[in-house]
Amino acid sequence: MKSHIRFLTILILVATVFPQNIASAGTPESAVSVLQPYVDRHELAGAVALVADKDQILSVETVGFADLEGGKAMPADAMFWIASQSKGMTATAVMMLVDEGKISLDDPVEKYLPEFKGQMVIAEKDDNHVLLRKPSHPITIREVLNHVSGLPFKSVMEVPTLDALPLEAAVRSYAMTPLQTEPGTHYQYSNAGINTAARILEVVSGKKYEDFMQERLFDPLGMKDTTFWPNAAQVARLAKSYRPDASKTDLAEFPLNQLTYPLTDTAHRFPMPAGGLFSTAQDTAIFCQMLLNGGEFKGKHYLSEAAFKELTTRQTPETVKQSYGLGLAVGPDWFGHGGAHATNMEIRPEDGIVTIWMVQHGGFPGKGKEAQGAFKNWARQRYGK
């Protein structure tokens, strides 16, 4: 009997001193063992999977290929178009101006962008007519950041690619477009809204949006590979994009058809705040570590406690099902964002970790779309508190 009590005492002590080891018992040491089957079945081309806490990178693993046809293995420093993950970074920059008292979230957009004065909302619409009326209130900065402004996804002028218009011209086209719904009542995922907030940032700060991002966010954080215009060396590290082939059983390469080529062209490509950034897993992790730490990174404060809370808690009304903060999706115990080609960043404060999932996929054959969830489950079991 005494030996049983002694054994139980030892177990309790081990669990107290090494709780993570107990929690991760039976969890594979490597994410590769979880992800490799998807590659072997041609359901996933390749991925960089990263886990970090607020202080350090805990794990960076690669699987599969950056270039299937060329047989190029996925490198840890591969570049990816992170698309709508840009939204959270743009919103963070906007919140810096809120912290400085230069703007308020509930200010009307037209206070800074007069072209929005008199914007109407669609009251009725069918194939034969459109009836416009005055909205109950002008759209606000908060509403353009949380997708309830009524602005459309994009304007009819943003063709054929999303990066073809200068920011000022793109935003002016939104002002000329009637609101699709009454402000504050419906969720309409909107690149136009995030871009509008970025244009306000330009007007208020007196800096080009891309310069503000570089000087106030990317450079101070040390995000050396995050850019709207990847240079030749970075393009060489860009993972190719894949989607299901005609048979839906294998993978086929396709271009980033929402963007203008060449990607290095600074004369004809313009920074798109809602989805134009390229980055690496490591760079994106730095941004997420700052958020995991409440707006601070390596002793430097990027956001106040109040600004961080606004950014990362639900801002959408309870009458809509979508839970969205400011430039970030918000879940019950996480916040983060995905990108058009299946990249993802997720911050989990209770677990004390961030997960970065870097792939370039416009869809998956078979069970390929389940790979991200498999990685996240592994990360939480292996490193979560």
Side-chain angles (χ1 to χ4, degrees):
M1 182 68 176
K2 289 181 178 179
S3 62
H4 286 302
I5 294 172
R6 190 179 299 114
F7 179 69
L8 286 172
T9 302
I10 292 171
L11 275 182
I12 292 168
L13 285 171
V14 170
T16 303
V17 179
F18 305 110
Q20 185 163 298
N21 291 346
I22 295 296
S24 61
T27 303
E29 288 288 323
S30 170
V32 173
S33 61
V34 175
L35 299 174
Q36 188 63 46
Y38 297 96
V39 175
D40 294 342
R41 295 192 299 264
H42 292 206
E43 296 170 339
L44 174 69
V48 181
L50 183 151
V51 188
D53 62 20
K54 65 183 180 65
D55 298 313
Q56 62 185 332
I57 304 299
L58 301 174
S59 170
V60 186
E61 300 196 60
T62 64
V63 65
F65 300 89
D67 178 353
L68 283 169
E69 291 73 14
K72 179 183 177 183
M74 181 67 76
D77 66 346
M79 294 284 295
F80 298 84
W81 176 43
I82 62 171
S84 285
Q85 287 176 258
S86 309
K87 289 179 170 67
M89 298 180 188
T90 295
T92 296
V94 172
M95 292 308 296
M96 291 178 177
L97 296 184
V98 174
D99 270 340
E100 293 168 7
K102 294 179 179 177
I103 62 174
S104 170
L105 285 173
D106 295 314
D107 284 341
V109 167
E110 64 183 33
K111 178 178 178 179
Y112 307 99
L113 305 177
E115 59 266 38
F116 279 85
K117 288 183 178 179
Q119 188 175 35
M120 304 292 274
V121 62
I122 296 173
E124 297 177 16
K125 183 179 180 180
D126 60 26
D127 293 340
N128 298 313
H129 85 292
V130 175
L131 177 64
L132 303 180
R133 62 173 174 77
K134 186 178 178 180
S136 62
H137 67 267
I139 61 174
T140 67
I141 296 174
R142 187 188 302 273
E143 288 168 343
V144 297
L145 286 172
N146 69 10
H147 303 302
V148 298
S149 66
L151 287 171
F153 176 71
K154 64 177 183 178
S155 80
V156 294
M157 292 179 64
E158 290 179 292
V159 292
T161 56
L162 295 172
D163 57 357
L165 286 179
L167 182 58
E168 182 177 4
V171 172
R172 190 171 294 277
S173 74
Y174 310 148
M176 297 165 59
T177 304
L179 299 174
Q180 307 297 294
T181 57
E182 183 68 31
T185 63
H186 292 77
Y187 180 91
Q188 167 62 57
Y189 188 73
S190 173
N191 280 353
I194 304 297
N195 291 346
T196 298
R199 177 60 185 152
I200 293 173
L201 180 151
E202 283 193 329
V203 170
V204 173
S205 69
K207 288 182 178 290
K208 289 183 178 180
Y209 159 76
E210 62 270 29
D211 292 342
F212 189 100
M213 296 294 286
Q214 196 68 46
E215 295 170 15
R216 297 290 301 275
L217 201 62
F218 302 151
D219 284 346
L221 282 170
M223 297 169 66
K224 298 177 181 179
D225 273 323
T226 302
T227 178
F228 294 99
W229 298 281
N231 59 35
Q234 290 169 326
V235 168
R237 287 192 276 132
L238 186 64
K240 291 189 174 182
S241 295
Y242 294 91
R243 61 187 174 193
D245 66 4
S247 71
K248 309 295 185 185
T249 60
D250 210 334
L251 295 166
E253 183 184 338
F254 75 111
L256 297 174
N257 51 22
Q258 296 182 59
L259 303 178
T260 304
Y261 281 83
L263 299 174
T264 54
D265 186 354
T266 58
H268 302 97
R269 291 189 63 241
F270 299 95
M272 207 271 280
L277 283 170
F278 292 80
S279 192
T280 61
Q282 292 84 349
D283 262 24
T284 305
I286 292 171
F287 172 73
C288 292
Q289 286 177 295
M290 179 270 290
L291 293 181
L292 181 62
N293 203 34
E296 179 186 344
F297 186 69
K298 293 186 176 179
K300 179 177 172 62
H301 286 271
Y302 293 84
L303 295 170
S304 69
E305 182 178 343
F308 170 78
K309 185 176 180 180
E310 293 275 22
L311 189 78
T312 61
T313 56
R314 178 173 176 142
Q315 297 286 335
T316 46
E318 294 300 323
T319 51
V320 305
K321 66 178 181 179
Q322 294 87 353
S323 178
Y324 205 88
L326 302 176
L328 293 167
V330 176
D333 56 359
W334 61 269
F335 54 88
H337 216 289
H341 281 205
T343 56
N344 184 270
M345 60 186 185
E346 188 171 281
I347 299 95
R348 305 191 65 89
E350 292 181 12
D351 286 319
I353 60 171
V354 303
T355 56
I356 309 296
W357 175 248
M358 290 297 203
V359 298
Q360 293 281 245
H361 268 265
F364 300 85
K367 296 182 178 180
K369 66 180 180 181
E370 298 175 8
Q372 180 187 145
F375 160 64
K376 287 181 178 179
N377 288 338
W378 171 84
R380 292 187 68 190
Q381 293 170 15
R382 184 80 178 84
Y383 295 107
K385 291 179 181 178

